[in-house]
Amino acid sequence: RFSVEGALHDTRNQAESWARRALGISPHCGEAWAALSLVELSATHANPERGIDYAVKAVAFAPRDAFVHLSLGMWEVGAYSLSVAASLRSVELDPFLLAPAGNAAEGLSLLGRAAEALPVVDRGLRAEPDWPFGLVIRGFTLAKLGRLEAAESTLRSCEQAAAADHTLSEMWRQTR
């Protein structure tokens, strides 16, 4: 069985090949469309229009699959509203899926809705208390809420883990 999770970890070409084979068997395979969306997202010169089109097809064919909503939520374009809505739906379908919880909380905070973001990221942190991305987003959200001491404490707790990932370390540095 083809897995969207696999598309997040396998090489881009292999994931694309698997997705296209799955679509050859069933053009209504939401997971395969989601995988193509994630493959497009990982491209050096990603085409957001094509990637979002793949993700929308994925959601249309598999509306109750958290991973297909994750693929749509990964596209943070425009005002973040689409990403936030898709990420929140993904978390609703699978509360233990951490990536969309972080994406939703980040997007809500960027939209000026940090008070709504905090319970979303905290739910993810209850599932995985040492989740580096969640801790950075929690610190970011607390800073947006003006709770600077709590933000500082949260960011200090994940400094070492954040330093291990370039993107995360940059977010950590900017938030701090």
Side-chain angles (χ1 to χ4, degrees), residues 8 32 35 46 56 61 72-73 76 89 92 97-98 103 109 111 118 122 135 140 143 149 157 175-176:
L8 294 172
V56 167
F61 293 130
L72 185 56
E76 296 176 347
R89 178 65 175 144
E92 179 184 313
L97 200 54
L98 298 179
N103 292 344
S109 292
L111 289 169
L118 196 55
D122 283 348
L135 290 166
F140 174 70
E149 287 181 24
S157 76
T175 302
R176 180 111 197 231

Side-chain angles (χ1 to χ4, degrees), residues 6-168:
L8 294 172
H9 300 289
D10 292 331
T11 65
R12 185 181 188 292
N13 291 339
Q14 186 178 26
E16 182 174 12
S17 173
W18 287 344
R20 296 216 182 273
R21 275 188 283 162
L23 289 171
I25 296 167
S26 172
H28 301 290
C29 179
E31 289 180 336
W33 286 111
L36 284 179
S37 176
L38 294 172
V39 164
E40 184 63 38
L41 183 67
S42 71
T44 304
H45 301 289
N47 179 332
E49 188 175 319
R50 181 175 36 232
I52 291 171
D53 181 54
Y54 290 158
V56 167
K57 287 178 182 176
V59 170
F61 293 130
R64 299 205 38 81
D65 186 319
F67 287 107
V68 302
H69 290 276
L70 166 71
S71 73
L72 185 56
M74 295 295 285
W75 289 95
E76 296 176 347
V77 294
Y80 293 97
S81 297
L82 178 64
S83 174
V84 167
S87 295
L88 287 172
R89 178 65 175 144
S90 184
V91 170
E92 179 184 313
L93 292 168
D94 186 347
F96 294 103
L97 200 54
L98 298 179
N103 292 344
E106 178 185 22
L108 286 166
S109 292
L110 290 169
L111 289 169
R113 297 165 52 189
E116 294 173 60
L118 196 55
V120 174
V121 74
D122 283 348
R123 187 176 337 136
L125 286 165
R126 279 194 301 278
E128 183 61 51
D130 297 323
W131 172 38
F133 182 66
L135 290 166
V136 171
I137 294 301
R138 186 173 201 282
F140 174 70
T141 301
L142 289 166
K144 289 281 193 175
L145 289 169
R147 296 171 51 188
L148 301 181
E149 287 181 24
E152 178 74 21
S153 174
T154 299
L155 290 170
R156 244 185 276 123
S157 76
C158 66
E159 183 174 7
Q160 204 168 31
D165 178 270
H166 173 71
T167 303
L168 200 53

